[in-house]
Amino acid sequence: AQSVTQLGSHVSVSEGALVLLRCNYSSSVPPYLFWYVQYPNQGLQLLLKYTTGATLVKGINGFEAEFKKSETSFHLTKPSAHMSDAAEYFCAVSPRGFKTIFGAGTRLFVKA
Amino acid sequence: DADVTQTPRNRITKTGKRIMLECSQTKGHDRMYWYRQDPGLGLQLIYYSFDVKDINKGEISDGYSVSRQAQAKFSLSLESAIPNQTALYFCATSDSVDSTDTQYFGPGTRLTVL
């Protein structure tokens, strides 16, 4: 069975500080991994995804994530937070493209 | 114009009423999904359709039904709404040609059942 765990329902950082959102997954087959972002009053949009190949994946707005198979993790980072990064972030796993499963989400707050 | 649209965007209704939420897409995708979002629970899959004649229940289908009227249209019905169906509902699409199942979401419908 596949599952996704996001550590921390809320994360607060200061503007300019490192953003780290944690995601661990379980999958019986090599998975595809995603981060989606949801801005207020909007639907989810793709931030980045890992399929195969290079384990460090770069996404939009300066975000990146690293697939670590040994740790079954896919943590999302950004070196310097901006006020516009305040949103809810969802990690998701798709076992070879079938029935994507979403984590519970992490709400990111950015303090001025 | 948005690729995935949902109507209505907001709806307040009473217990026992029949409600239909509609989703249309111009992306040409064959797969469509309905999710509900509750705080702290993430997205839960209600129904999904891989083409017009292929409709499947998701993890929380009880109390809901769907209709895939065309490749571009997928509607969700609550036959007799109850208060615990108050939630944010999202429609999403994906393309079976894309083996990763990357999904594209509508803006959501906020439903309140009194």
Side-chain angles (χ1 to χ4, degrees):
Chain A
Q2 284 64 234
S3 67
V4 179
T5 301
Q6 292 185 237
L7 300 178
S9 58
H10 297 84
V11 170
S12 182
V13 301
S14 297
E15 193 171 22
L18 171 72
V19 175
L20 171 60
L21 304 182
R22 300 178 187 272
C23 173
N24 288 89
Y25 70 92
S26 68
S27 178
S28 54
V29 298
Y32 298 132
L33 296 162
F34 306 80
W35 278 98
Y36 288 85
V37 59
Q38 182 183 25
Y39 297 106
N41 299 315
Q42 296 185 28
L44 282 70
Q45 57 183 277
L46 181 68
L47 196 56
L48 51 78
K49 66 181 175 184
Y50 169 78
T51 56
T52 59
T55 57
L56 182 63
V57 181
K58 295 185 184 298
I60 60 173
N61 300 333
F63 284 93
E64 60 184 36
E66 186 171 12
F67 169 58
K68 292 188 176 181
K69 184 178 178 180
S70 62
E71 298 177 8
T72 60
S73 69
F74 191 56
H75 301 330
L76 181 70
T77 60
K78 181 175 180 177
S80 177
H82 190 273
M83 296 296 288
S84 61
D85 295 327
E88 188 153 22
Y89 293 80
F90 292 90
C91 183
V93 59
S94 171
R96 283 305 172 213
F98 181 71
K99 288 184 68 176
T100 300
I101 297 169
F102 291 84
T106 297
R107 185 166 295 279
L108 176 66
F109 297 92
V110 182
K111 299 175 292 186
Chain B
D1 290 338
D3 295 320
V4 184
T5 57
Q6 293 183 235
T7 56
R9 292 294 313 279
N10 290 280
R11 182 71 184 269
I12 300 173
T13 190
K14 295 182 178 180
T15 297
K17 293 292 188 180
R18 184 178 188 276
I19 295 297
M20 178 180 286
L21 309 182
E22 298 187 342
C23 176
S24 294
Q25 54 115 344
T26 58
K27 299 188 74 66
H29 290 171
D30 48 349
R31 298 180 174 183
M32 298 186 75
Y33 309 80
W34 275 105
Y35 294 92
R36 68 176 275 174
Q37 183 183 22
D38 298 279
L41 296 180
L43 273 71
Q44 297 175 275
L45 183 63
I46 306 172
Y47 271 93
Y48 62 102
S49 171
F50 281 176
D51 66 37
V52 175
K53 296 182 180 180
D54 180 17
I55 294 178
N56 305 278
K57 293 181 178 181
E59 49 189 318
I60 57 161
S61 60
D62 287 350
Y64 301 94
S65 63
V66 291
S67 174
R68 186 86 183 261
Q69 300 95 325
Q71 187 183 44
K73 296 183 182 295
F74 193 36
S75 59
L76 175 73
S77 293
L78 288 68
E79 296 301 326
S80 180
I82 56 177
N84 76 0
Q85 291 178 314
T86 292
L88 191 53
Y89 289 85
F90 286 105
C91 174
T93 73
S94 68
D95 189 344
S96 59
V97 172
D98 175 6
S99 63
T100 69
D101 194 41
T102 300
Q103 299 194 10
Y104 299 83
F105 287 80
T109 294
R110 186 169 297 280
L111 177 66
T112 303
V113 183
L114 301 176

Coordinates of all heavy atoms in Angstrom, one line a residue, chain B residues 10-61:
Chain B
N10 N -19.2 28.7 -4.9 CA -19.7 28.7 -3.6 C -21.1 28.3 -3.6 O -21.9 28.7 -4.5 CB -19.5 30.0 -2.9 CG -18.1 30.4 -2.6 OD1 -17.5 29.9 -1.6 ND2 -17.5 31.3 -3.4
R11 N -21.5 27.5 -2.6 CA -22.9 27.0 -2.5 C -23.2 26.8 -1.1 O -22.5 26.1 -0.3 CB -23.1 25.8 -3.3 CG -24.5 25.3 -3.4 CD -25.5 26.2 -4.2 NE -26.9 25.7 -4.1 CZ -27.4 24.9 -5.0 NH1 -26.7 24.4 -6.0 NH2 -28.7 24.6 -4.9
I12 N -24.4 27.3 -0.7 CA -24.9 27.1 0.7 C -26.2 26.4 0.5 O -27.1 26.9 -0.3 CB -25.1 28.3 1.5 CG1 -23.7 29.0 1.7 CG2 -25.7 28.0 2.9 CD1 -23.8 30.4 2.4
T13 N -26.5 25.2 1.1 CA -27.7 24.5 0.9 C -28.1 23.9 2.3 O -27.5 24.1 3.3 CB -27.5 23.4 -0.1 OG1 -28.8 22.8 -0.4 CG2 -26.6 22.3 0.4
K14 N -29.3 23.3 2.2 CA -29.9 22.8 3.5 C -29.8 21.2 3.5 O -29.8 20.6 2.4 CB -31.3 23.2 3.7 CG -31.4 24.7 3.9 CD -32.8 25.1 4.1 CE -33.0 26.6 4.3 NZ -34.4 27.1 4.5
T15 N -29.8 20.7 4.6 CA -29.8 19.2 4.8 C -31.0 18.6 4.0 O -32.1 19.1 4.0 CB -29.9 18.8 6.2 OG1 -28.8 19.3 7.0 CG2 -30.0 17.3 6.4
G16 N -30.7 17.5 3.2 CA -31.7 16.8 2.5 C -31.8 17.3 1.0 O -32.5 16.6 0.2
K17 N -31.2 18.4 0.7 CA -31.3 18.9 -0.7 C -30.4 18.2 -1.6 O -29.3 17.6 -1.2 CB -31.0 20.4 -0.7 CG -32.0 21.3 0.0 CD -33.3 21.3 -0.8 CE -34.2 22.4 -0.2 NZ -35.5 22.4 -0.9
R18 N -30.8 18.1 -2.9 CA -29.9 17.5 -3.9 C -29.0 18.6 -4.5 O -29.6 19.7 -4.9 CB -30.7 16.8 -5.0 CG -29.9 16.1 -6.1 CD -30.7 15.4 -7.1 NE -30.0 14.6 -8.0 CZ -29.3 15.0 -9.1 NH1 -29.4 16.3 -9.4 NH2 -28.7 14.2 -9.9
I19 N -27.8 18.3 -4.6 CA -26.8 19.3 -5.1 C -26.0 18.7 -6.2 O -25.6 17.5 -6.2 CB -25.9 19.7 -4.0 CG1 -26.6 20.5 -2.9 CG2 -24.8 20.7 -4.5 CD1 -27.3 21.7 -3.4
M20 N -25.7 19.5 -7.3 CA -24.8 19.0 -8.3 C -23.7 20.0 -8.5 O -23.9 21.3 -8.6 CB -25.6 18.9 -9.7 CG -24.6 18.4 -10.8 SD -25.5 18.2 -12.4 CE -26.3 16.7 -12.1
L21 N -22.5 19.5 -8.5 CA -21.3 20.3 -8.8 C -20.8 19.9 -10.2 O -20.7 18.7 -10.5 CB -20.2 20.1 -7.7 CG -20.6 20.2 -6.3 CD1 -19.4 20.0 -5.3 CD2 -21.3 21.5 -6.0
E22 N -20.4 20.9 -10.9 CA -20.0 20.7 -12.3 C -18.6 21.0 -12.6 O -18.0 21.9 -12.0 CB -20.9 21.4 -13.3 CG -22.4 21.0 -13.1 CD -23.3 21.6 -14.2 OE1 -22.9 22.5 -14.8 OE2 -24.4 21.0 -14.4
C23 N -18.0 20.2 -13.5 CA -16.6 20.4 -13.8 C -16.4 20.3 -15.3 O -16.9 19.4 -15.9 CB -15.7 19.4 -13.1 SG -13.9 19.5 -13.6
S24 N -15.7 21.3 -15.9 CA -15.4 21.2 -17.3 C -14.0 21.5 -17.6 O -13.3 22.3 -16.8 CB -16.3 22.3 -18.1 OG -17.6 22.0 -18.0
Q25 N -13.4 20.9 -18.6 CA -12.0 21.1 -18.9 C -11.8 21.2 -20.4 O -12.5 20.6 -21.2 CB -11.2 19.9 -18.3 CG -11.6 18.5 -18.8 CD -10.7 17.8 -19.6 OE1 -9.7 18.3 -20.2 NE2 -10.9 16.5 -19.8
T26 N -10.8 22.0 -20.7 CA -10.4 22.3 -22.1 C -9.0 21.7 -22.4 O -8.4 22.1 -23.4 CB -10.5 23.8 -22.4 OG1 -9.6 24.5 -21.6 CG2 -11.9 24.3 -22.3
K27 N -8.5 20.9 -21.5 CA -7.1 20.4 -21.7 C -7.1 19.2 -22.6 O -6.0 18.7 -22.9 CB -6.5 20.0 -20.3 CG -6.4 21.3 -19.4 CD -5.7 20.9 -18.1 CE -4.2 20.8 -18.3 NZ -3.5 22.1 -18.8
G28 N -8.2 18.6 -22.9 CA -8.3 17.4 -23.7 C -7.8 16.2 -23.0 O -7.5 15.1 -23.7
H29 N -7.8 16.2 -21.7 CA -7.4 15.0 -20.9 C -8.6 14.0 -20.8 O -9.7 14.4 -20.8 CB -7.0 15.5 -19.5 CG -5.7 16.2 -19.5 ND1 -5.3 16.9 -18.3 CD2 -4.8 16.5 -20.4 CE1 -4.1 17.4 -18.6 NE2 -3.8 17.2 -19.9
D30 N -8.2 12.7 -20.7 CA -9.2 11.7 -20.7 C -9.6 11.3 -19.2 O -10.6 10.8 -19.0 CB -8.8 10.5 -21.4 CG -7.3 10.0 -21.1 OD1 -6.6 10.7 -20.4 OD2 -7.0 8.9 -21.5
R31 N -8.7 11.6 -18.3 CA -8.9 11.2 -16.9 C -9.4 12.4 -16.1 O -8.9 13.5 -16.2 CB -7.7 10.7 -16.2 CG -7.1 9.4 -16.9 CD -5.9 9.0 -16.2 NE -5.4 7.7 -16.7 CZ -4.4 7.0 -16.2 NH1 -3.7 7.5 -15.2 NH2 -4.1 5.8 -16.8
M32 N -10.5 12.2 -15.3 CA -11.0 13.2 -14.4 C -11.3 12.7 -13.0 O -11.5 11.5 -12.9 CB -12.3 13.8 -15.0 CG -12.0 14.5 -16.4 SD -13.4 15.4 -17.0 CE -13.4 16.9 -16.0
Y33 N -11.2 13.6 -12.0 CA -11.3 13.2 -10.6 C -12.1 14.2 -9.8 O -12.1 15.4 -10.2 CB -9.9 13.2 -10.0 CG -8.8 12.4 -10.8 CD1 -8.2 13.0 -11.9 CD2 -8.4 11.1 -10.4 CE1 -7.2 12.3 -12.6 CE2 -7.5 10.4 -11.0 CZ -6.8 11.0 -12.1 OH -5.9 10.3 -12.8
W34 N -12.7 13.7 -8.8 CA -13.3 14.5 -7.8 C -12.7 14.2 -6.4 O -12.7 13.1 -6.0 CB -14.9 14.3 -7.7 CG -15.6 15.1 -8.7 CD1 -16.2 14.7 -9.8 CD2 -15.9 16.5 -8.6 NE1 -16.8 15.7 -10.5 CE2 -16.7 16.8 -9.8 CE3 -15.6 17.5 -7.7 CZ2 -17.1 18.1 -10.1 CZ3 -16.0 18.8 -8.0 CH2 -16.8 19.1 -9.1
Y35 N -12.3 15.3 -5.7 CA -11.7 15.2 -4.4 C -12.5 16.1 -3.4 O -13.1 17.1 -3.9 CB -10.3 15.7 -4.4 CG -9.3 14.9 -5.1 CD1 -9.0 15.2 -6.5 CD2 -8.6 13.8 -4.5 CE1 -8.0 14.5 -7.2 CE2 -7.6 13.1 -5.2 CZ -7.4 13.4 -6.5 OH -6.4 12.7 -7.2
R36 N -12.5 15.8 -2.2 CA -12.9 16.7 -1.2 C -11.7 17.0 -0.2 O -10.9 16.2 0.0 CB -14.1 16.3 -0.4 CG -13.9 15.1 0.6 CD -15.2 14.9 1.4 NE -15.3 15.7 2.6 CZ -16.3 15.7 3.4 NH1 -17.4 15.0 3.1 NH2 -16.4 16.5 4.4
Q37 N -11.6 18.3 0.2 CA -10.6 18.7 1.1 C -11.2 19.2 2.4 O -12.0 20.1 2.4 CB -9.8 19.9 0.4 CG -8.6 20.3 1.3 CD -7.9 21.5 0.7 OE1 -8.4 22.2 -0.1 NE2 -6.6 21.7 1.0
D38 N -10.7 18.6 3.5 CA -11.1 19.0 4.8 C -9.8 19.4 5.5 O -8.8 18.8 5.3 CB -11.8 17.8 5.5 CG -13.0 17.4 4.9 OD1 -14.1 18.1 5.1 OD2 -13.0 16.4 4.1
P39 N -9.9 20.4 6.4 CA -8.7 20.8 7.1 C -8.0 19.7 7.8 O -8.6 18.9 8.6 CB -9.2 21.9 8.1 CG -10.5 22.4 7.4 CD -11.0 21.2 6.7
G40 N -6.7 19.5 7.6 CA -5.9 18.5 8.3 C -6.0 17.1 7.7 O -5.3 16.2 8.2
L41 N -6.9 16.9 6.7 CA -7.0 15.6 6.1 C -6.5 15.6 4.7 O -6.5 14.5 4.1 CB -8.5 15.2 6.1 CG -9.2 15.0 7.5 CD1 -10.6 14.6 7.3 CD2 -8.4 13.9 8.3
G42 N -6.1 16.7 4.2 CA -5.6 16.7 2.8 C -6.7 16.4 1.8 O -7.9 16.8 2.0
L43 N -6.4 15.8 0.7 CA -7.4 15.5 -0.3 C -7.8 14.1 -0.3 O -7.0 13.2 -0.3 CB -6.8 15.8 -1.7 CG -7.0 17.3 -2.2 CD1 -6.0 18.2 -1.4 CD2 -6.7 17.4 -3.7
Q44 N -9.1 13.8 -0.3 CA -9.6 12.5 -0.3 C -10.3 12.3 -1.6 O -11.2 13.1 -2.0 CB -10.6 12.2 0.9 CG -9.9 12.4 2.2 CD -10.9 12.3 3.3 OE1 -11.5 13.2 3.7 NE2 -11.0 11.1 3.9
L45 N -10.1 11.1 -2.3 CA -10.6 10.9 -3.6 C -12.1 10.3 -3.5 O -12.3 9.4 -2.7 CB -9.8 9.8 -4.3 CG -10.1 9.5 -5.7 CD1 -10.1 10.7 -6.7 CD2 -9.2 8.4 -6.2
I46 N -13.0 11.0 -4.2 CA -14.4 10.6 -4.1 C -14.7 9.6 -5.3 O -15.2 8.5 -5.0 CB -15.3 11.8 -4.2 CG1 -15.0 12.8 -3.1 CG2 -16.8 11.4 -4.0 CD1 -15.7 14.1 -3.3
Y47 N -14.5 10.1 -6.5 CA -14.7 9.2 -7.7 C -13.6 9.6 -8.7 O -13.1 10.7 -8.7 CB -16.0 9.5 -8.3 CG -17.2 8.7 -7.8 CD1 -18.0 9.1 -6.8 CD2 -17.5 7.4 -8.4 CE1 -19.0 8.3 -6.3 CE2 -18.5 6.6 -8.0 CZ -19.3 7.1 -6.9 OH -20.3 6.3 -6.5
Y48 N -13.3 8.7 -9.6 CA -12.5 9.0 -10.7 C -13.0 8.3 -12.0 O -13.6 7.3 -11.9 CB -11.0 8.7 -10.4 CG -10.7 7.2 -10.2 CD1 -10.1 6.4 -11.1 CD2 -10.9 6.7 -8.9 CE1 -9.8 5.1 -10.9 CE2 -10.6 5.3 -8.6 CZ -10.1 4.6 -9.6 OH -9.8 3.2 -9.3
S49 N -12.6 8.9 -13.1 CA -13.0 8.4 -14.4 C -11.9 8.4 -15.4 O -11.3 9.5 -15.6 CB -14.2 9.3 -14.9 OG -14.5 8.9 -16.2
F50 N -11.6 7.2 -15.9 CA -10.4 7.2 -16.8 C -10.9 7.4 -18.3 O -10.0 7.7 -19.2 CB -9.7 5.9 -16.7 CG -8.8 5.8 -15.5 CD1 -8.1 4.7 -15.2 CD2 -8.6 6.9 -14.7 CE1 -7.2 4.6 -14.1 CE2 -7.7 6.9 -13.6 CZ -7.0 5.7 -13.3
D51 N -12.1 7.3 -18.6 CA -12.7 7.7 -19.8 C -14.2 7.8 -19.7 O -14.7 7.5 -18.6 CB -12.3 6.9 -21.1 CG -12.8 5.5 -21.0 OD1 -13.9 5.2 -20.6 OD2 -12.0 4.6 -21.5
V52 N -14.9 8.1 -20.7 CA -16.4 8.4 -20.5 C -17.1 7.1 -20.0 O -18.1 7.3 -19.2 CB -17.0 8.8 -21.9 CG1 -18.5 8.9 -21.8 CG2 -16.4 10.1 -22.3
K53 N -16.6 6.0 -20.4 CA -17.4 4.7 -19.9 C -16.7 4.0 -18.8 O -17.1 2.9 -18.4 CB -17.5 3.8 -21.1 CG -18.3 4.3 -22.3 CD -18.4 3.3 -23.4 CE -19.3 3.9 -24.6 NZ -19.4 2.9 -25.7
D54 N -15.7 4.7 -18.2 CA -15.0 4.0 -17.1 C -15.1 4.9 -15.8 O -14.3 5.9 -15.8 CB -13.6 3.8 -17.5 CG -12.8 3.1 -16.4 OD1 -13.4 2.6 -15.4 OD2 -11.5 3.1 -16.5
I55 N -15.9 4.6 -14.9 CA -16.1 5.4 -13.7 C -15.9 4.5 -12.5 O -16.4 3.4 -12.4 CB -17.5 6.0 -13.6 CG1 -17.6 7.1 -14.7 CG2 -17.7 6.7 -12.2 CD1 -19.0 7.7 -14.8
N56 N -15.1 5.0 -11.5 CA -14.7 4.2 -10.4 C -14.9 4.9 -9.1 O -14.7 6.1 -9.0 CB -13.2 3.8 -10.5 CG -12.9 3.1 -11.8 OD1 -13.2 1.9 -12.0 ND2 -12.5 3.9 -12.8
K57 N -15.2 4.2 -8.0 CA -15.3 4.8 -6.7 C -13.9 5.0 -6.1 O -13.0 4.2 -6.3 CB -16.1 3.8 -5.8 CG -17.6 3.7 -6.2 CD -18.3 2.8 -5.2 CE -19.8 2.7 -5.5 NZ -20.5 1.8 -4.6
G58 N -13.8 6.1 -5.4 CA -12.6 6.4 -4.6 C -12.8 5.9 -3.2 O -13.6 5.1 -2.9
E59 N -12.0 6.5 -2.3 CA -12.0 6.1 -0.9 C -13.2 6.5 -0.1 O -13.5 5.9 0.9 CB -10.7 6.5 -0.2 CG -10.4 8.0 -0.5 CD -9.0 8.3 0.0 OE1 -8.6 7.9 1.1 OE2 -8.3 9.1 -0.7
I60 N -13.9 7.6 -0.6 CA -15.0 8.1 0.2 C -16.3 8.4 -0.6 O -16.8 9.4 -0.6 CB -14.6 9.4 1.0 CG1 -14.1 10.5 0.0 CG2 -13.6 9.1 2.1 CD1 -14.2 11.8 0.6
S61 N -16.7 7.4 -1.4 CA -17.8 7.6 -2.4 C -19.2 7.6 -1.8 O -20.2 8.0 -2.4 CB -17.7 6.6 -3.5 OG -17.8 5.3 -2.9

